Amino acid sequence: MTRAVIHGVGHAVPDKVLSNADLEKMVDTNDEWIKQRTGIAERRVCGPDDSCTSLAVTAAQRALAAAGTSAEEVEMIVVGTVTGDFPFPSCSCLVQDHLGATNAGAFDVGAACAGFIYSVASVAPMLETGKIRTALVIGVDVLSKYVDYSDRSTCVLFGDGAGAVVLKAEEATDRGVIDTVLLSDGSGAKHIKMEYGGTANPPHQGLPEGMNPFLFMAGAEVYRFAVGAMGDACERVLERTGLRASDIDLFVPHQANLRIIESAAKRLDLADDKVFINVQNYGNTSGGSIPIALSEASAQGRLKKGDLVMTVGFGAGLVWGANLIRW
Ligand code: UT7
């Protein structure tokens, strides 16, 4: 059986740190509230020299180096992002050019915080069926550009960053992407949205009266959805594969809120040492969150060849999904 196997992983975050203490000076919030309700201590935000594309390119270069793969070998670049530099061209095409990946197709996947999950799920069948041999999947977002830094209910949550993996087709292996589950519920679109700047409300027509030009999130609704969605996606993918939660070696969930992660881990009855958490350092980096976590887990020696890894994400759309991977 041919599988899509991860050969290298890397990540990139901006240098600029935005701590809870910094935010205390900007809005009516405090370190204790933020840590208690979200687990976040600091996040990274883009400076003038960073962009969605630049973070994606650096993460990709690190993943390619880790995999010992040249840019020319890559046949498909998939970028999970909702914050590309432009509505078009796509972030993936800009990345393709920067990398010199002259043999690659390129497309973006708009699945917000589940962007990496959806991107891996999109490209894995191309590798499994022999259409391509090598793919680069990147998850990246720079939500700091859409956040209202006078709105305490959202500005404490988000940060910027990118993560990338190199996937290769491998025959006769039990490693790689085992199975995926992708789900959506557009009736919840109103709960996390960026209304301004798309074709419904193009910037050249000016901001319609009463419209929010920033990211909007109904925190409590999204929290309820997230807690259910994480468990739902994990249980479905386990059921499809005949594996059990007790088989999982490392759980790498979307890093939005420590309480959401803990509640999913509890539902799956996972011990603390099987759960990867770095939300304290980066906040919610949306599409970047899961591949950044994979990259750090790998660097910390928490991912060994053959480990069963559950990745799961949820976000604006609403969308959610999980990839079960043998490392
Ligand atoms: O990846 C995209 C998915 N997004 C998420 O996963 C986010 C999901 N939602 C959440 O993580 C949580 O709902 C939040 C962290 C956003 C909020 O936590 P919460 O425990 O649901 O708090 P809340 O919204 O119920 O607010 C509780 C109180 C309110 O005050 P009152 O009305 O009780 O007086 C808020 O005004 O906390 C207040 N509050 C704050 N206080 C200090 C809201 N934000 C802040 C803040 N600092 N930054």
Side-chain angles (χ1 to χ4, degrees), residues 27-30 33-34 37-38 113 151-158 192 217-226 254-257 259-260 284 286 314-316:
V27 288
D28 180 16
T29 190
N30 58 79
W33 189 97
I34 302 172
R37 302 289 180 121
T38 72
C113 301
D151 172 11
R152 69 177 184 173
S153 72
T154 52
C155 74
V156 302
L157 303 175
F158 297 99
I192 324 181
M217 185 174 73
E221 279 81 358
V222 176
Y223 188 93
R224 268 194 298 279
F225 150 70
H254 171 43
Q255 309 281 316
N257 182 321
R259 290 187 293 149
I260 296 172
N284 180 350
S286 185
F314 58 90

Side-chain angles (χ1 to χ4, degrees), residues 96-279:
Q96 178 277 330
D97 183 42
H98 278 273
L99 293 176
T102 46
N103 298 305
F107 63 98
D108 287 3
V109 169
C113 301
F116 181 76
I117 297 286
Y118 267 70
S119 298
V120 168
S122 309
V123 84
M126 296 185 207
L127 293 151
E128 290 159 1
T129 55
K131 291 261 179 223
I132 58 169
R133 302 289 308 167
T134 305
L136 178 63
V137 174
I138 304 166
V140 56
D141 271 309
V142 289
L143 280 171
S144 67
K145 304 283 184 188
Y146 289 155
V147 164
D148 178 0
Y149 284 96
S150 67
D151 172 11
R152 69 177 184 173
S153 72
T154 52
C155 74
V156 302
L157 303 175
F158 297 99
D160 303 334
V165 297
V166 174
L167 290 153
K168 290 192 183 230
E170 261 187 49
E171 286 86 26
T173 181
D174 63 350
R175 294 178 62 214
V177 179
I178 298 171
D179 204 357
T180 63
V181 161
L182 303 176
L183 293 150
S184 64
D185 176 10
S187 72
K190 57 186 177 289
H191 296 319
I192 324 181
K193 58 184 178 181
M194 180 66 216
E195 283 183 303
Y196 188 52
T199 51
N201 301 291
H204 65 83
Q205 288 180 3
L207 183 67
E209 211 180 315
M211 180 169 283
N212 180 0
F214 297 104
L215 174 159
F216 167 82
M217 185 174 73
E221 279 81 358
V222 176
Y223 188 93
R224 268 194 298 279
F225 150 70
V227 166
M230 294 268 257
D232 176 45
C234 293
E235 284 170 8
R236 284 189 198 224
V237 76
L238 285 170
E239 198 183 316
R240 282 164 58 94
T241 53
L243 289 159
R244 286 177 307 214
S246 56
D247 296 322
I248 295 170
D249 294 299
L250 196 65
F251 181 56
V252 185
H254 171 43
Q255 309 281 316
N257 182 321
L258 181 60
R259 290 187 293 149
I260 296 172
I261 296 171
E262 285 174 347
S263 117
K266 194 170 165 203
R267 179 159 160 186
L268 296 172
D269 198 20
L270 296 173
D272 289 354
D273 65 345
K274 290 194 168 187
V275 181
F276 190 82
I277 296 169
N278 65 359
V279 70

Side-chain angles (χ1 to χ4, degrees), residues 15-26:
D15 292 335
K16 191 172 166 198
V17 175
L18 186 65
S19 68
N20 290 352
D22 296 328
L23 286 162
E24 282 177 3
K25 293 178 202 134
M26 297 158 70

